[in-house]
Amino acid sequence: MSTASTTSGTSPASPGTSASAAPAPRPSAFDLSRTTATATRVLRQLHHDPRTIALMILIPCVMLFLLRYVFDGSPATFDSIGASLLGIFPLITMFLVTSIATLRERTSGTLERLLAMPLGKGDLIAGYALAFGALAIVQSALATGLAVWFLGLDVTGSPWLLLLVALLDALLGTALGLFVSAFASSEFQAVQFMPAVIFPQLLLCGLFTPRPNMHPVLEAISDVLPMSYAVDGMNEVLKHTEMTADFVRDVVIVAGCALLVLTLGAATLRRRTV
């Protein structure tokens, strides 16, 4: 018998079959090293864009400062709405910056090149969330410190709880910005999403009037909007010395909404704007 029939269980590839090799395995949905590498790249880019950093970190502080002296003759008014706006301002700024920055990655072709590498959509979204989340920590800490210790915001509860809600609001704004950027084809369209996504929440969150005083239909809609629970959480800190069950519920809902929107953002992420 000829020895050409090899005893190794693998036969030589026949001509024309070498090109049909098994495709490279797809990257896993999430990998910590790829996520941190993405976050580091985003932070390096932001380091060379001081205007964006100023917008994210300083604008909420400036707005709170202006608000305090708009109500200079009525400090009680600032106390009643300052805590709520301490959570709303970071949400709005992070939404704007994140949506535009992510869209710019897509329109410049950077996203196309990144996703051609062994980088999953989950890694990309989580990396962006981690990078902007780090800036959100700085933003929330500065805004909370300014409001409580410099502008004299009178809160019954712990300022650390205010900081927690402000940080979660900023992360929620980041998640919403990442999500809506998938549906915009230009930076102008990304900004146009603000009236559709942010303004209804701003009107229905209970900032201008208690939500039970609204029309029942509007109250029902406000019950499913995350900003409503962000404002409720701030008001719990404003009125109670201890952490209440309602505060825990509000914080969990805001955090859950941020996580849900991030997941949706990864699912809807596209390589290129068409």
Side-chain angles (χ1 to χ4, degrees):
M1 180 180 293
S2 172
T3 59
S5 55
T6 60
T7 57
S8 63
T10 305
S11 60
S14 58
T17 60
S18 58
S20 59
R26 293 178 62 85
S28 58
F30 178 78
D31 180 83
L32 183 60
S33 62
R34 295 196 300 259
T35 299
T36 53
T38 301
T40 301
R41 181 187 64 82
V42 174
L43 289 174
R44 285 175 179 169
Q45 288 181 334
L46 290 174
H47 176 71
H48 299 291
D49 190 357
R51 288 179 296 181
T52 299
I53 294 177
L55 175 65
M56 286 189 291
I57 293 179
L58 298 180
I59 290 299
C61 295
V62 172
M63 298 301 292
L64 286 169
F65 186 86
L66 291 176
L67 184 71
R68 168 62 182 86
Y69 290 102
V70 164
F71 296 108
D72 190 41
S74 179
T77 304
F78 177 72
D79 291 336
S80 64
I81 66 173
S84 299
L85 292 175
L86 182 60
I88 292 173
F89 286 157
L91 189 154
I92 294 174
T93 55
M94 294 304 292
F95 172 84
L96 282 173
V97 172
T98 307
S99 59
I100 293 174
T102 309
L103 181 65
R104 191 176 297 166
E105 293 273 75
R106 185 181 298 112
T107 55
S108 65
T110 302
L111 186 61
E112 181 79 16
R113 294 191 295 269
L114 288 173
L115 291 180
M117 301 167 61
L119 181 70
K121 291 182 179 181
D123 298 321
L124 190 67
I125 291 293
Y128 270 92
L130 184 61
F132 286 108
L135 292 173
I137 293 175
V138 178
Q139 178 197 70
S140 302
L142 287 176
T144 302
L146 174 70
V148 175
W149 289 294
F150 183 79
L151 299 179
L153 179 66
D154 186 17
V155 293
T156 303
S158 170
W160 294 106
L161 297 181
L162 280 183
L163 175 60
L164 173 62
V165 181
L167 175 59
L168 289 176
D169 289 345
L171 292 176
L172 176 61
T174 299
L176 289 171
L178 290 170
F179 176 64
V180 303
S181 67
F183 304 99
S185 58
S186 67
E187 295 182 12
F188 179 68
Q189 286 188 4
V191 174
Q192 285 180 314
F193 273 104
M194 185 172 173
V197 176
I198 300 297
F199 286 180
Q201 296 192 67
L202 186 62
L203 293 174
L204 300 178
C205 68
L207 177 65
F208 301 103
T209 185
R211 290 193 290 127
N213 294 346
M214 298 178 186
H215 188 280
V217 173
L218 295 180
E219 183 183 0
I221 294 175
S222 72
D223 288 339
V224 298
L225 298 177
M227 191 184 290
S228 300
Y229 297 95
V231 170
D232 287 349
M234 288 293 192
N235 288 333
E236 287 293 312
V237 180
L238 196 66
K239 299 174 183 176
H240 301 280
T241 57
E242 301 294 334
M243 184 185 302
T244 64
D246 288 341
F247 174 83
V248 174
R249 177 207 62 190
D250 297 333
V251 166
V252 169
I253 290 175
V254 174
C257 288
L259 182 60
L260 174 62
V261 175
L262 282 176
T263 304
L264 293 174
T268 58
L269 184 65
R270 296 176 296 154
R271 289 188 175 189
R272 179 179 297 170
T273 299
V274 294

